[in-house]
Structure formats: C-alpha cells, structure tokens
Amino acid sequence: MQSKYSDYQLRLELMEALADLRFVEPTPIQHQVLPLLLKGRNLIAQAPTGTGKTHAFLLPLFEQLNIHKQNIQAVVLAPTRELAEQIFKRAVELADYFPDAIDIQLLIGGTDRTRGIERLKNSQPQIVIGTPGRVFDLIKEGALDATHVTMVVLDEADMIFDTGFISEVDGIIGRVPETAQLAIFSATIPQVIEQFAQKYMAGAAQVAIDAKQKTPVAIEHLAIPVRRKSREDLIVDITEMCHPYLALIFANTRKHADALAGELRDRGIRIGVLHGDLSARERRQMIRRIRDLEFQYVVATDIAARGIDIEGISHIINYELPDDLAFYIHRVGRTARGSNEGMAISLITPEQEVAVNQLRERGIDINYVEIKNAEFVPVASRNKRMRVNRIDDETLKASHQAHARKAKKVKPGYKKKLEREVKAAVGKAKRQQQKRNNKKR
C-alpha cells in the first residue's frame, strides 16, 4: 500500500512546502527511507538520480532540526559544487516555509575562503551543505564547529569516494559526535562504501529500489546495432530525425568526448561539452549556457554529468555503453523527470549485446532498432540473427545430405523440388523462431 506524506507526521511547514511543490505521494525511495531516518537510524540507501532522494534526506533533516539553537546541527556533503548548489536550493525552498529564519550555508570550492571564514566567526550556520574538501578545510581551520552535529548525509557517496575525498570524509566524521546520525545515498555500493559503513555505521539499515523500479517507466529504451555505419554517422542520423529539446550524449572518456564533439561540430552541429578537464569557471559557464538552451546537444562523461540537475532533457544517447552498467541507470535517469517522457538510445557493437542482455535482466525493456527512411524500425539482435542463420544453414545442409544419399535415384525436376523444400524448411524454421521470440516477450 502506497504511503502518504501525512503518514509521517511531519511539521506543518514541511507539509505546506510539499503541497506547494505538488509532491502528491512519496517516491519508492522516500517510502523506504523516511521512516528509518525519522527514527534516527543510520542508513545506506541505493538509489539513482531522479528518484526523489534529495527530499528523502532533507525532510527528516528539517523535521529533527532545533530551530532555536544557533549551532551546526546537520552537514550534507556532495561530490561536486553543482550538486551542492542544487541541494542548497532545495533546502532553502523548504526553509522559506518556516516562520523563523533558518541559517543554511553553502560551502564549496571556487568561492572566497577568507570571506567565508570571517562570516563563520560572526555566526555558525544551522545547516552546512558543501563539498568535502572545503568543509573539512574550514573544520580544521576552526572556522566550523562540528561538535554539535546530529546528522551527516553523504549524497552520491560512490562519486565522493571515487573522486578522492576519502580522507576528507574521514576527517569530518572523526570530528562530529559519535552519536550523530549518518546517512549514505549512492547509485552504487562499491567496496569502499562497505568498508566505510563497517568503520562508522555498524548495524545501519540498508534499502534499495527494486531493480525493475530503477528507471522511470516513461523512458523508451532503444539499441541501435553498429554495423555498416560509424557511431558518428549514426548520431548524425539520430539528430536529423529526433529533434530533441535537449539531448545528453555520453562517452566513456574525456578523449572520446572531445573527439566526438569535434566530429559533430565539423558536421555543422552546435554542441556543448562537459568533462573533467574543464576548469571550474569553464564548467560554470558551460552549465549556464546549457540551461539557457544555447545547445541542443551536449557530449558528457559520467563523472562530469553526475550531480547536475538540468531541466528538459528529452533524450539520452549512449555513444558507448558504460563499463559499469550501474551508470546506465544514472545516465537515463536524467530524462523523463516528473511527468515527462524520455528516450534513451544506445549504439551497440556485437560484443556489447551481452551487456544489453544484462540490462534486460535488471528489468529494463530495451528494443533493437535500425534507422530506415528517418524512422526507427524494429530489428533482431545480432545473436538472434545468427541463431536464425544457423538454423537456415543446418536445414540447408540436412536437405542436401538427404538428397545426396539418393543421388543415384534422381528423378527429373529434382533441383526445383529441392529448392522448394529448402525454401519451405527455412521459412518454417524462421516462423518457429519468431514464435519462440514472441513467447519470450
């Protein structure tokens, strides 16, 4: 039975905020997480982007906040400045509904450190949202007093650790009270998170969205086999027929992203690029230009695109499938937000069909298509075609062997008869294969 926000007895201010934000009922991850965090449990939650996880931790954070105490009570850590800024905005939205001012400070790199320290000397915030590097630096400096913290949240924890913030997070956790509630939200649960949990979160509750719920149902997943045309040619074909509002094109490396962007620019396509080689200033400028819709297409890498909330993404194009298939969930979760629909198109080489099958086993309905006359036309996967061809070859071979054994008794017109029999056998094999395929669907 689906829960309601009213089931959790949240503050009136939070209920008003949810109503104005048109949040009707908790998402699956919120349904699992809210009761646990409201009870003060330590938590490890596996959930991809676009599942409502930000409010899954912000609602309990505000519910447990002592508004009348002017000290740091909650710390939210994010791997990138952009994600920290987005969480900060969501937090400010909720804080605006409270009659008393709630002091929330955004602490990220790329801002004036000296000015930030002076501000903190005058007044400690009640909620800190920031990147691990800057937050730990200010704690070490003595500018932040973490001795009253009651809750610490790590959002996109796999990326926090993957980008080298392990020592900073260790330093922060080591300076908050042992009684502080810890919550981890992550798209994947690698070994480093398991080790962190063993060290700091013994007995933590663990929740995860069911595999079949991990991608929005409003996404159409398509796989285009890479055969006669290059990946670049196929992407150009897609751009000519899809006309997206905004499309993210994912490449696995910075080198591939730059090469693809250059190739598409040479073909007259105006395109943006997001990857780790951009400076902080270039990155901010690029994100602003994307949000201002200067580009219809943006080539990005997984790390660069994580934690960036850009509205209106209608299409996800995988120039290549990610090495870690969990990132497929992350990529496609950027489209079909809210009540919108989306499309995810992946370019698939023969050796990647195994990966497609693995995604299907996770409950993702991916259909093979090819582009003909500016339309997506259903087509069998290479493995299916090979199975049919193998049946054809075996049938043909069997027919030839049967007639070869009777070669001495050949009757007039046997060649035409053989052709008819082979044709009939091949047709029968294909029909039987099609029936088996239909049963699997």
Side-chain angles (χ1 to χ4, degrees):
M1 181 177 177
Q2 179 63 49
S3 62
K4 299 177 181 178
Y5 286 112
S6 57
D7 295 339
Y8 305 112
Q9 300 181 335
L10 298 171
R11 298 185 192 208
L12 179 60
E13 294 89 349
L14 294 176
M15 293 302 296
E16 290 178 354
L18 291 169
D20 286 351
L21 292 169
R22 297 183 180 180
F23 289 4
V24 179
E25 58 186 26
T27 65
I29 191 64
Q30 291 171 359
H31 172 68
Q32 295 186 61
V33 163
L34 288 174
L36 295 167
L37 289 183
L38 289 169
K39 290 178 182 177
R41 292 284 304 276
N42 287 343
L43 174 75
I44 300 172
Q46 185 174 2
T49 298
T51 55
K53 61 184 175 63
T54 302
H55 285 91
F57 61 76
L58 283 181
L59 291 173
L61 186 156
F62 275 92
E63 181 64 31
Q64 299 172 46
L65 191 71
N66 188 331
I67 300 173
H68 304 294
K69 285 189 176 181
Q70 191 61 44
N71 49 34
I72 302 173
Q73 300 171 49
V75 175
V76 180
L77 301 174
T80 66
R81 301 167 186 172
E82 292 78 20
L83 180 56
E85 288 171 346
Q86 289 156 29
I87 297 170
F88 176 75
K89 290 176 183 177
R90 300 290 88 80
V92 169
E93 284 178 350
L94 297 178
D96 285 343
Y97 285 83
F98 287 76
D100 298 316
I102 297 176
D103 192 347
I104 309 173
Q105 288 200 22
L106 177 67
L107 302 176
I108 57 176
T111 56
D112 192 323
R113 180 177 179 275
T114 303
R115 185 180 299 176
I117 291 174
E118 289 301 317
R119 186 170 62 247
L120 291 169
K121 285 181 180 178
N122 297 326
S123 176
Q124 291 284 289
Q126 293 163 298
I127 301 172
V128 167
I129 299 171
T131 48
R134 178 54 61 93
V135 172
F136 183 50
D137 175 54
L138 294 174
I139 290 176
K140 285 194 302 180
E141 185 74 21
L144 279 180
D145 179 7
T147 58
H148 301 284
V149 171
T150 59
M151 186 178 190
V152 178
V153 178
L154 275 64
D155 193 19
E156 304 285 7
D158 53 352
M159 186 179 172
I160 287 178
F161 292 126
D162 190 51
T163 48
F165 285 123
I166 296 176
S167 60
E168 287 83 355
V169 173
D170 267 332
I172 293 168
I173 300 300
R175 286 167 172 77
V176 304
E178 290 184 5
T179 55
Q181 182 181 18
L182 304 181
I184 284 177
F185 288 80
S186 185
T188 61
I189 307 296
Q191 187 177 8
V192 65
I193 290 182
E194 293 177 352
Q195 293 171 343
F196 178 86
Q198 290 174 2
K199 183 177 181 180
Y200 295 111
M201 305 171 66
Q206 297 192 36
V207 301
I209 297 178
D210 182 78
K212 293 187 178 182
Q213 293 178 311
K214 283 189 175 179
T215 62
V217 294
I219 298 178
E220 182 179 7
H221 300 266
L222 302 178
I224 300 179
V226 179
R227 299 176 192 160
R228 294 173 294 276
K229 287 190 173 183
S230 68
R231 296 175 195 261
E232 292 77 12
D233 288 337
L234 288 171
I235 287 180
V236 171
D237 289 345
I238 292 169
T239 64
E240 291 175 349
M241 62 178 285
C242 282
H243 306 294
Y245 183 79
L246 177 60
L248 281 187
I249 305 173
F250 280 98
N252 288 348
T253 66
R254 301 171 188 174
K255 184 177 179 180
H256 289 181
D258 277 333
L260 175 60
E263 178 72 21
L264 295 179
R265 285 195 193 101
D266 290 343
R267 301 190 187 205
I269 298 173
R270 185 172 172 79
I271 196 156
V273 183
L274 269 176
H275 58 56
D277 277 350
L278 298 180
S279 67
R281 183 168 176 270
E282 290 171 333
R283 183 179 170 86
R284 285 196 299 271
Q285 289 177 342
M286 179 58 66
I287 292 171
R288 177 185 55 77
R289 295 175 69 187
I290 293 170
R291 287 177 174 153
D292 290 344
L293 296 178
E294 286 190 33
F295 306 105
Q296 194 176 7
Y297 302 93
V298 178
V299 177
T301 57
D302 290 292
I303 296 297
R306 288 278 291 273
I308 297 175
D309 186 16
I310 300 173
E311 294 183 358
I313 297 174
S314 58
H315 290 68
I316 299 295
I317 301 172
N318 290 310
Y319 173 77
E320 50 198 342
L321 283 181
D323 296 327
D324 182 349
L325 292 183
F327 279 88
Y328 181 90
I329 309 293
H330 237 307
R331 290 179 179 184
V332 303
R334 301 184 175 283
T335 187
R337 296 290 186 92
S339 59
N340 296 318
E341 296 181 349
M343 179 177 285
I345 305 169
S346 301
L347 306 183
I348 306 298
T349 59
E351 58 271 17
Q352 289 178 322
E353 290 198 6
V354 173
V356 173
N357 291 335
Q358 291 173 348
L359 289 171
R360 284 174 162 174
E361 290 171 0
R362 298 186 185 194
I364 302 171
D365 185 17
I366 302 178
N367 296 306
Y368 281 91
V369 296
E370 61 183 3
I371 300 174
K372 283 188 177 180
N373 300 321
E375 291 184 351
F376 289 125
V377 179
V379 65
S381 68
R382 179 174 178 270
N383 288 337
K384 286 184 177 179
R385 295 195 307 274
M386 289 179 69
R387 285 197 296 271
V388 172
N389 290 338
R390 189 164 57 248
I391 291 171
D392 294 351
D393 292 342
E394 290 173 354
T395 304
L396 182 62
K397 182 178 179 181
S399 297
H400 276 301
Q401 288 176 344
H403 286 275
R405 286 194 296 269
K406 300 177 182 179
K408 294 181 179 180
K409 298 182 180 181
V410 170
K411 296 180 181 180
Y414 85 96
K415 289 185 178 180
K416 290 184 179 179
K417 183 180 179 182
L418 174 60
E419 289 175 358
R420 288 196 301 270
E421 289 179 356
V422 171
K423 188 175 181 179
V426 170
K428 182 178 180 181
K430 287 184 176 180
R431 288 193 296 273
Q432 289 174 341
Q433 183 68 30
Q434 186 62 44
K435 287 181 181 179
R436 286 194 289 271
N437 292 341
N438 291 336
K439 286 181 181 179
K440 292 179 181 178
R441 290 175 184 168

